[in-house]
């Protein structure tokens, strides 16, 4: 099922070809300026095979993922449309999936989403009408059986490459590969993981994944990213849900003089990237460089991942 | 597990009374009260009306602040506590442990649970189960073969390569 092309997605094409895939994500603006989106995408587009339009990650309000997709598809770029279950119910989500595909979106990332309590408006009403697996299954139903959840027909094709998230770095550890199996059964074709800073933990996860044969059914892109400073790492570790950073990495940043911490964070990222690349079953990386998007190019280059055949819409 | 046995027993006891335990009947009202109190005390039941307790290690998944019915989110803390309520253990960590301890139904944790039918809130799960109302959907969510194929993955993935 992994090798059969299900969409017209360029990301899927890269993965099927066996090339090491790179995705990244765009820091969504707090503006109503399309140029902010284009500028941010331009920095990334030359170095990756897909850019995630994130759906208010951390439950902080920014320009919506749907609108970012609208702007990017307008200039001919194929983003990864991220849908979280936090803010919209099943009626809104199914309608948005149709609309996104109509605009030219070919990649969908289905996630549960951080709770509203993690964000800057904790008084908001959390929706969670779907969970991520129900969302995936519904998207697959819409694509493969061409019906809504109600059974009502969809009157056109819906070429979508379906993705999901995975976090191998939080408990219950032994459950995580099994949850991956469920996500694959629900329709996941590619996976982007949470930030990987703990290589031994990730190796153990992949061992179990291979044992179950899951690496042959799904493309796994490992989440990596540069830590900007010791302070930023500490914030991510304590305030952002689901991010685990081992003590050794924290110590390494702490011992580095402040003005060189960003450089050191980038070096750590490149080292991790090169290590996960060697693990059997890893199909690519997802580089998350929040507010330091300009580093993605350097990371890709210094990790020896150039030259690349990237989407060149601009 | 004792709770699995109690589940089977309750089912066996109620099944003969299916034709009395109809939706919107007086008998359902009585069942609602019994479930509210009984399951409320034991499981902190949220009365979703489509109980999947035996598929979730006899721990109520509706107590997850995100109402997740298919597994834990990626926000579980390193001490196994909840992302949303740090003082509380993650419901899905408890479900996973409960499923391991459930020899009969534990593997059902692998099933893909369909979206919650919100119209069944505060109705009787047992009545809905007996009449197939809780599983009713207009589309095929997951076939029995798919469920059977997934279940064995629950217990056999940790051996060495």
């Amino acid at each position: 099922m992994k090798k059969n092309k299900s969409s017209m997605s360029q990301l899927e094409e890269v993965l099927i070809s066996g090339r090491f895939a790179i995705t990244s994500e765009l820091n969504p603006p707090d503006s109503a300026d399309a140029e902010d989106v284009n500028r941010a995408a331009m920095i990334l587009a030359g170095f990756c095979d897909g850019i995630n339009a994130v759906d208010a990650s951390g439950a902080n309000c920014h320009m919506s993922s749907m609108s970012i997709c609208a702007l990017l598809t307008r200039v001919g770029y194929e983003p990864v449309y991220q849908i979280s279950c936090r803010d919209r119910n099943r009626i809104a989500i199914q309608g948005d999936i149709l609309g996104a595909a109509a605009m030219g979106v070919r990649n969908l990332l289905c996630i549960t989403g951080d709770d509203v309590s993690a964000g800057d408006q904790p008084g908001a009403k959390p929706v969670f009408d779907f969970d991520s697996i129900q969302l995936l299954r519904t998207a697959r139903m819409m694509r493969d059986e061409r019906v809504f959840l109600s059974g009502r027909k969809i009157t056109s094709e819906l070429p979508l490459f379906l993705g999901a998230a995975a976090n191998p770095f939080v408990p219950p550890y032994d459950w995580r590969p099994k949850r991956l199996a469920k996500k694959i059964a629900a329709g996941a074709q590619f996976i982007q993981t949470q930030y990987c800073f703990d290589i031994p933990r990730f190796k153990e996860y992949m061992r179990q994944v291979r044992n179950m044969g899951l690496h042959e059914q799904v493309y796994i892109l490992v989440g990596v990213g540069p830590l900007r400073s010791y302070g930023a790492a500490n914030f991510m570790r304590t305030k952002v849900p689901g991010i685990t950073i081992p003590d050794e990495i924290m110590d390494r940043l702490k011992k580095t003089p402040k003005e060189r911490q960003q450089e050191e964070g980038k070096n750590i990222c490149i080292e991790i990237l090169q290590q996960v690349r060697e693990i059997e079953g890893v199909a690519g990386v997802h580089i998350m460089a929040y507010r330091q998007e300009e580093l993605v190019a350097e990371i890709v280059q210094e990790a020896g991942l150039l030259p690349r055949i990237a989407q060149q819409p601009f | 597990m004792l709770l699995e046995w109690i589940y089977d027993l309750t089912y066996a006891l109620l099944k003969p009374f299916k034709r009395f335990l109809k939706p919107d009947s007086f008998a359902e009202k009585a069942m609602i009260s019994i479930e509210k109190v009984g399951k409320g005390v034991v499981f902190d039941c949220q009365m979703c009306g489509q109980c999947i307790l035996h598929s979730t290690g006899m721990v109520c998944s509706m107590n997850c602040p995100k109402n997740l019915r298919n597994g834990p989110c990626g926000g579980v803390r390193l001490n196994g506590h909840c992302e949303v309520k740090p003082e509380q253990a993650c419901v899905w960590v408890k479900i996973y442990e409960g499923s391991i301890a459930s020899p009969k139904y534990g593997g059902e944790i692998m099933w893909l649970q369909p979206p919650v039918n919100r119209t069944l809130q505060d109705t009787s799960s047992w009545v809905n189960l007996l009449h197939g109302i809780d599983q009713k959907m207009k589309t095929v969510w997951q076939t029995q073969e798919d469920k059977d194929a997934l279940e064995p993955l629950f217990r056999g993935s940790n051996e060495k390569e």
Side-chain angles (χ1 to χ4, degrees):
Chain A
M1 85 171 114
K2 181 173 164 181
K3 305 289 173 201
N4 290 342
K5 208 161 151 43
S6 59
S7 64
M8 293 179 274
S9 155
Q10 298 188 42
L11 175 61
E12 185 176 15
E13 208 151 85
V14 169
L15 287 163
I16 287 177
S17 77
R19 271 179 289 154
F20 193 73
I22 300 175
T23 55
S24 187
E25 56 189 42
L26 191 148
N27 172 25
D30 290 338
S31 74
D33 187 352
E35 272 317 297
D36 285 346
V37 173
N38 290 339
R39 212 175 303 120
M42 224 181 303
I43 296 170
L44 299 170
F47 299 91
C48 53
D49 306 301
I51 299 175
N52 281 29
V54 301
D55 192 359
S57 62
N60 289 305
C61 187
H62 304 289
M63 188 188 285
S64 75
S65 58
M66 184 62 151
S67 338
I68 290 170
C69 285
L71 292 169
L72 292 180
T73 49
R74 238 185 236 179
V75 292
Y77 193 84
E78 233 181 66
V80 179
Y81 174 35
Q82 190 171 310
I83 304 186
S84 101
C85 301
R86 180 192 55 235
D87 305 322
R88 278 161 306 153
N89 72 5
R90 64 192 78 177
I91 298 172
I93 287 177
Q94 290 171 81
D96 280 349
I97 291 174
L98 285 189
M103 294 187 312
V105 169
R106 295 292 170 257
N107 313 296
L108 204 63
L109 186 80
C110 304
I111 58 172
T112 303
D114 300 317
D115 187 70
V116 294
S117 55
D120 60 350
Q121 301 183 39
K125 180 174 185 179
V127 178
F128 298 112
D129 189 24
F130 275 154
D131 63 32
S132 58
I133 285 178
Q134 293 160 349
L135 168 56
L136 266 172
R137 174 70 189 98
T138 303
R140 176 157 73 91
M141 186 184 289
M142 292 172 70
R143 183 193 65 196
D144 295 349
E145 294 150 54
R146 281 217 221 154
V147 288
F148 293 106
L149 209 47
S150 63
R152 198 152 46 78
K153 279 208 171 81
I154 292 168
T155 57
S156 78
E157 290 217 323
L158 196 60
L160 288 173
F161 186 42
L162 300 179
N167 190 355
F169 309 103
V170 290
Y173 300 112
D174 284 342
W175 164 253
R176 296 290 164 185
K178 295 162 192 171
R179 180 154 166 83
L180 180 65
K182 280 187 83 165
K183 289 196 170 181
I184 294 168
Q189 299 167 286
F190 72 98
I191 295 290
Q192 292 174 329
T193 79
Q194 181 56 277
Y195 278 105
C196 172
F197 291 110
D198 187 345
I199 299 275
R201 170 74 65 201
F202 185 66
K203 281 187 173 161
E204 171 57 22
Y205 173 79
M206 286 304 294
R207 186 187 67 75
Q208 293 188 30
V209 165
R210 287 194 303 271
N211 253 349
M212 296 163 82
L214 303 178
H215 64 305
E216 286 167 349
Q217 299 169 43
V218 75
Y219 299 103
I220 297 172
L221 283 74
V222 187
V224 295
L227 296 163
R228 190 214 290 266
S229 64
Y230 176 75
N234 207 29
F235 176 84
M236 283 165 70
R237 192 191 204 197
T238 51
K239 294 282 188 298
V240 185
I243 298 181
T244 317
I245 307 176
D247 292 338
E248 307 88 79
I249 289 182
M250 296 303 292
D251 288 345
R252 201 170 141 185
L253 280 172
K254 201 174 185 179
K255 279 185 201 140
T256 309
K258 232 179 173 155
E259 63 281 4
R260 287 197 47 251
Q261 282 180 357
Q262 190 177 23
E263 182 72 19
E264 189 67 1
K266 190 182 82 179
N267 291 339
I268 293 170
C269 173
I270 293 168
E271 286 166 28
I272 291 172
L273 196 161
Q274 285 170 330
Q275 287 181 60
V276 296
R277 205 186 161 189
E278 301 301 319
I279 300 172
E280 190 192 343
V282 170
V285 282
H286 176 59
I287 307 175
M288 293 170 275
Y290 184 64
R291 289 206 201 143
Q292 24 181 12
E293 282 85 349
E294 67 288 350
L295 286 188
V296 173
E298 293 176 31
I299 291 166
V300 171
Q301 185 184 9
E302 288 171 37
L305 295 169
L306 289 180
R308 305 200 58 77
I309 313 163
Q311 298 185 47
Q312 294 290 0
F314 298 100
Chain B
M1 202 212 285
L2 177 68
L3 287 169
E4 284 184 301
W5 183 79
I6 294 174
Y7 169 77
D8 283 344
L9 181 74
T10 314
Y11 186 71
L13 284 173
L14 289 177
K15 209 178 170 198
F17 299 99
K18 180 178 165 181
R19 60 197 176 99
F20 300 109
L21 290 165
K22 280 190 192 135
D24 299 323
S25 63
F26 177 77
E28 189 194 11
K29 285 210 180 83
M31 279 304 291
I32 291 172
S33 307
I34 295 167
E35 283 184 40
K36 255 187 192 157
V37 176
K39 291 204 291 190
V41 170
V42 184
F43 304 109
D44 200 5
C45 168
Q46 302 295 310
M47 292 300 288
C48 70
Q50 48 218 293
C51 190
I52 51 166
L53 265 174
H54 68 284
S55 302
T56 54
M58 293 294 175
V59 176
C60 174
S61 60
M62 295 309 276
N63 284 308
C64 162
K66 298 183 184 177
N67 277 190
L68 303 183
R69 281 166 85 93
N70 279 296
C73 69
V76 184
R77 291 164 195 266
L78 291 184
N79 62 359
H81 279 220
C82 173
E83 164 196 328
V84 186
K85 297 178 179 167
E87 69 288 351
Q88 155 186 318
C90 166
V91 167
W92 272 94
V93 168
K94 291 194 278 182
I95 289 175
Y96 182 56
E97 288 162 1
S99 296
I100 292 171
S102 301
K104 187 165 180 189
Y105 297 111
E108 290 186 13
I109 193 177
M110 295 302 293
W111 292 5
L112 303 186
Q113 296 294 344
V116 176
N117 179 352
R118 313 281 166 182
T119 62
L120 298 180
Q121 181 69 38
D122 295 322
T123 61
S124 162
S125 244
W126 278 109
V127 169
N128 295 334
L129 173 74
L130 289 172
H131 293 275
I133 297 167
D134 55 344
Q135 295 294 322
K136 210 161 146 194
M137 280 185 81
K138 287 180 178 154
T139 41
V140 179
W141 184 257
Q142 191 179 29
T143 63
Q144 191 58 48
E145 293 84 78
D146 289 340
K147 287 178 179 174
D148 293 343
L150 271 175
E151 264 194 55
L153 292 180
F154 179 59
R155 297 199 197 266
S157 72
N158 302 330
E159 300 85 33
K160 294 277 169 211
E161 254 172 12

